[in-house]
């Protein structure tokens, strides 16, 4: 367990950047690792397995619904909490997949992606000195926003091993030790970026127990909820005792391959939605009018669509996993999501960040170092790890794999 508190005297924007490890000692700000690596891919023509976005379109019905909405004049501000058709589709989705009853009018808030949902939620509830507990590695936005809010980012490491079948797991005693009466929010991301872990019910139940004991809120980022490979995703809000203190966040970007549309949402008890809305309405106010009914269409697609999306991605995971392993990298096979974390140390690379900067020139592939998901003072145990995205077409992954095979050639 460890805490990250930005250095005193920083301006709020510098604190934000420092939280995500983007503030250099001379005060300059680096681009996010995703932006840097996507730019490097564009410059070099390398295959971009860095930033997680699909390279093909999602379901035709969803795209067509957006076109139709634009043609039908759905082009002005939607209601502040989101269009009723989408809020109702989100409520129906929770009932259909998880058996959770949600009031579409008061317990759902549409946001500009999961990112705005996370920002508005943390800014609504985290005050100076409050602790925000997450696992580490963590999605970079958590650290940036916690720092902007003046919070202390307390992390609990996920441990991994090369044993077959083992994944990335937290130690429950370390989690118990991390949560105290100073904890305002426990922020859980399952399915998890970057590791692809899906936390078991024991871990999620412990989060609920600790949140109750210390009167903390649970914020749960479930943007990869439909992209699991043979394991069951349990939303924390479905666990006994969780509902009244849980803000569930998801997004259409991953499920429907529409990452550029930025349609996300929050599901929470009405008083918590009201609190988040108080902040959210001065961030974007609203967004994406024609995309909202289109995502409502997507959420109503038959089960087959969701099963096929996961199965397609699972086959892509297997292709990349086999290629990385054949190239001599050590991987943990992810149970979900878009990414595989690979250890480059068996090939003699100790510094994943340096390797990622060299990779486009060396073999024509881009990945991102896992150290981008870890605070600067704790990068040691993650330093040789690289995250590769497999949300790409089969032929693109085949080409990437054949290029990565060249890595061991020195
Ligand atoms: N949370 C996680 C874990 C993510 O991986 C991402 C990005 N894909 C987001 C949140 C942001 O989602 P959105 O693009 O909907 O803002
Ligand atoms: N969520 C995507 C990823 O992890 C990228 C989002 C971003 O660029 N901020 O790759």
């Amino acid at each position: 367990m460890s805490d990250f508190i930005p250095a005193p005297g920083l301006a709020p924007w510098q604190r934000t950047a420092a939280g995500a490890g983007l503030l250099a000692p001379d005060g300059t700000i680096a681009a996010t690792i995703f932006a840097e690596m996507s730019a490097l891919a564009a410059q070099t023509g390398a295959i971009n397995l860095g930033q997680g976005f699909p390279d093909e379109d999602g379901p035709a019905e969803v795209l067509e619904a957006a076109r139709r909405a634009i043609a039908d004049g759905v082009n002005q501000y939607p209601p502040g909490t989101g269009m009723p058709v989408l809020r109702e589709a989100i409520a129906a989705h929770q009932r259909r997949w998880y058996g959770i009853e949600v009031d579409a009018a008061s317990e759902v808030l549409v946001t500009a992606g999961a990112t705005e949902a996370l920002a508005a939620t943390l800014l609504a509830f985290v005050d100076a000195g409050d602790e925000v507990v997450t696992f580490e590695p963590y999605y970079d936005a958590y650290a940036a926003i916690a720092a902007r809010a003046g919070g202390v980012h307390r992390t609990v490491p996920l441990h991994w091993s090369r044993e077959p079948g083992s994944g990335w797991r937290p130690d429950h005693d370390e989690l118990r030790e991390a949560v105290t009466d100073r904890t305002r929010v426990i922020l859980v991301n399952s399915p998890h970026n970057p590791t692809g872990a899906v936390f078991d019910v024991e871990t999620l139940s412990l989060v609920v127990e600790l949140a109750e004991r210390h009167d903390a809120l649970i914020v749960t980022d479930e943007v990869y909820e439909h992209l699991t490979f043979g394991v069951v995703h349990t939303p924390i809000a479905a666990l006994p005792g969780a509902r009244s203190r849980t803000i569930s966040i998801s997004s259409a970007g991953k499920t429907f391959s529409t990452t550029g549309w930025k349609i996300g949402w929050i599901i929470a008890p009405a008083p918590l939605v009201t609190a988040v809305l108080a902040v959210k309405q001065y961030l974007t106010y609203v967004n994406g009018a024609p995309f909202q009914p289109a995502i409502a269409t997507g959420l109503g697609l038959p089960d087959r669509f969701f099963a096929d999306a996961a199965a397609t991605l699972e086959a892509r995971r297997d292709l990349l996993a086999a290629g990385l392993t054949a190239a001599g990298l050590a991987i943990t096979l992810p149970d979900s999501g878009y990414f595989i974390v690979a250890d480059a140390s068996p090939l003699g690379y100790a510094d994943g960040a340096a390797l990622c900067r060299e990779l486009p020139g060396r073999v024509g592939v881009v990945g991102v170092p896992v150290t981008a998901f870890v605070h600067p003072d704790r990068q040691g145990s993650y330093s040789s790890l690289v995250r590769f995205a497999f949300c790409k077409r089969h032929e693109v992954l085949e080409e990437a794999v054949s290029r990565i095979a060249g890595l061991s050639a020195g």
Side-chain angles (χ1 to χ4, degrees), residues 43-44 88 142 177 213:
Q43 259 167 36
T44 59
E88 276 153 23
Y142 309 162
E177 205 189 317
R213 186 177 315 151

Side-chain angles (χ1 to χ4, degrees), residues 113-198:
T115 306
E116 190 198 29
L118 285 159
T121 300
L122 294 181
L123 294 175
F125 294 112
V126 178
D127 217 338
D130 286 345
E131 293 184 0
V132 177
V133 172
T134 76
F135 294 118
E136 186 170 53
Y138 49 77
Y139 186 57
D140 64 342
Y142 309 162
I145 305 162
R148 174 61 187 89
V152 175
H153 185 198
R154 171 166 284 199
T155 56
V156 177
L158 296 177
H159 300 284
W160 68 288
S161 90
R162 295 204 187 116
E163 295 300 308
S166 74
W168 289 74
R169 293 208 177 80
D171 176 294
H172 286 186
D173 287 335
E174 288 179 334
L175 177 57
R176 278 190 196 92
E177 205 189 317
V179 181
T180 70
D181 288 348
R182 291 186 306 280
T183 305
R184 184 69 181 117
V185 168
I186 309 176
L187 201 176
V188 181
N189 171 213
S190 181
H192 184 258
N193 178 7
T195 67
V198 177

